[in-house]
């Protein structure tokens, strides 16, 4: 598997049956029957070669680990193309633009500029460790896939939706933190954002009941 921004590694997948073969009418019953058989075999070939593209958002939390394990145990199909997706949080590194009291544009950096290089190194290490951890889990389960990461979005939910569209994802499986209704209202939730903006089937794996 390769690691780079918007990069991929292969994995087989199973999808929805589809038969694109057109049947021709024939006065001969024998010929019509033969056409049906040819059409059916073509549909089978298409069925076997379709790869369902499954996105698994991952990070260092137990929530994403729980979702990946759920996929392996309950959601996997033999020909899935699995995309391990990691969104790098750069909110503490990238300067933000705003307006001062005089109405002029101003820039602010969450951390001293001298610390940015160190933080970038830590983020790079985070990406490498996340990739290694989840690729090993998939390999031990006999699942092939790719690891993709991005640092282009300030909100992980936006990054997931963008990756879903860009990579023609057909199914999303992700974990959540199990926040209560009040905390979700004020703090928001990545899983809530994905549920409201994704246009593909999405499964949210909650934390275990205590």
């Amino acid at each position: 598997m390769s690691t780079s921004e918007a990069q991929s590694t292969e994995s087989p997948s199973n999808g929805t049956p589809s038969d694109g073969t057109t049947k021709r009418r024939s006065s001969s019953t024998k010929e019509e029957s033969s056409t049906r058989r040819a059409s059916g075999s073509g549909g089978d070939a298409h069925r076997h070669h379709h790869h369902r593209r499954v996105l698994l958002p991952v990070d260092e939390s137990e929530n994403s680990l729980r979702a990946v394990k759920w996929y392996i145990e309950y959601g996997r199909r033999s020909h899935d193309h699995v995309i391990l997706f990691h969104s790098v949080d750069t909110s503490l590194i990238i300067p933000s633009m705003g307006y001062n009291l005089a109405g002029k544009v101003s820039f602010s950096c969450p951390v001293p500029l001298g610390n940015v290089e160190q933080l970038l190194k830590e983020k790079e290490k985070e990406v490498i460790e996340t990739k290694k951890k989840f690729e090993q889990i998939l390999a031990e389960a006999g699942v092939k896939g790719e690891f993709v990461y991005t640092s282009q979005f300030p909100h992980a939910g936006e990054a997931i939706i963008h990756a879903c569209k860009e990579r023609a994802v057909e199914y999303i499986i992700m974990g959540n933190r199990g926040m209560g209704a009040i905390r979700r209202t004020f703090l928001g939730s990545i899983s809530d954002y994905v549920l409201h903006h994704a246009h593909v089937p999405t499964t949210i794996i909650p934390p275990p009941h205590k």
Side-chain angles (χ1 to χ4, degrees), residues 2 4 9 14-15 39 55 59 69 73-74 119 124 145 151 159 164 169 186 188:
S2 54
S4 65
T9 310
N14 229 353
S39 173
L55 187 78
D59 55 25
K69 288 183 175 179
E73 186 170 356
Y74 302 108
L119 285 173
E124 183 179 359
S151 57
C164 183
V169 168
F186 287 97

Side-chain angles (χ1 to χ4, degrees), residues 5-17:
E5 234 169 307
Q7 213 169 14
S8 48
T9 310
E10 298 183 1
S11 125
S13 154
N14 229 353
T16 305

Side-chain angles (χ1 to χ4, degrees), residues 55 85-87 150 152-153 155-164 193:
L55 187 78
F85 180 76
H86 179 63
S87 176
T150 183
Q152 298 177 356
F153 298 87
H155 188 275
E158 294 179 56
I160 292 169
I161 295 302
H162 182 268
C164 183
Y193 183 92

Side-chain angles (χ1 to χ4, degrees), residues 56 67-77 80 82 173:
L56 305 178
V68 171
K69 288 183 175 179
W70 186 93
Y71 164 75
I72 291 172
E73 186 170 356
Y74 302 108
R76 66 187 290 188
R77 294 181 185 175
D80 280 348
V82 175
I173 302 175

Side-chain angles (χ1 to χ4, degrees), residues 127-201:
V127 170
I128 293 172
E129 291 178 348
T130 301
K131 175 182 185 292
K132 182 178 178 180
K133 173 182 176 179
F134 286 98
E135 282 187 341
Q136 182 176 349
I137 291 173
L138 290 191
E140 290 175 353
V143 177
K144 294 182 179 180
E146 61 179 313
F147 179 88
V148 177
Y149 76 95
T150 183
S151 57
Q152 298 177 356
F153 298 87
H155 188 275
E158 294 179 56
I160 292 169
I161 295 302
H162 182 268
C164 183
K165 295 176 180 177
E166 185 180 54
R167 297 184 172 272
V169 168
E170 299 166 78
Y171 186 28
I172 302 172
I173 302 175
M174 61 186 296
N176 72 355
R177 292 175 288 175
M179 291 190 298
I182 295 178
R183 289 191 68 200
R184 273 203 312 272
T185 300
F186 287 97
L187 299 178
S189 162
I190 295 173
S191 56
D192 280 350
Y193 183 92
V194 173
L195 280 173
H196 283 89
H197 292 83
H199 298 293
V200 298

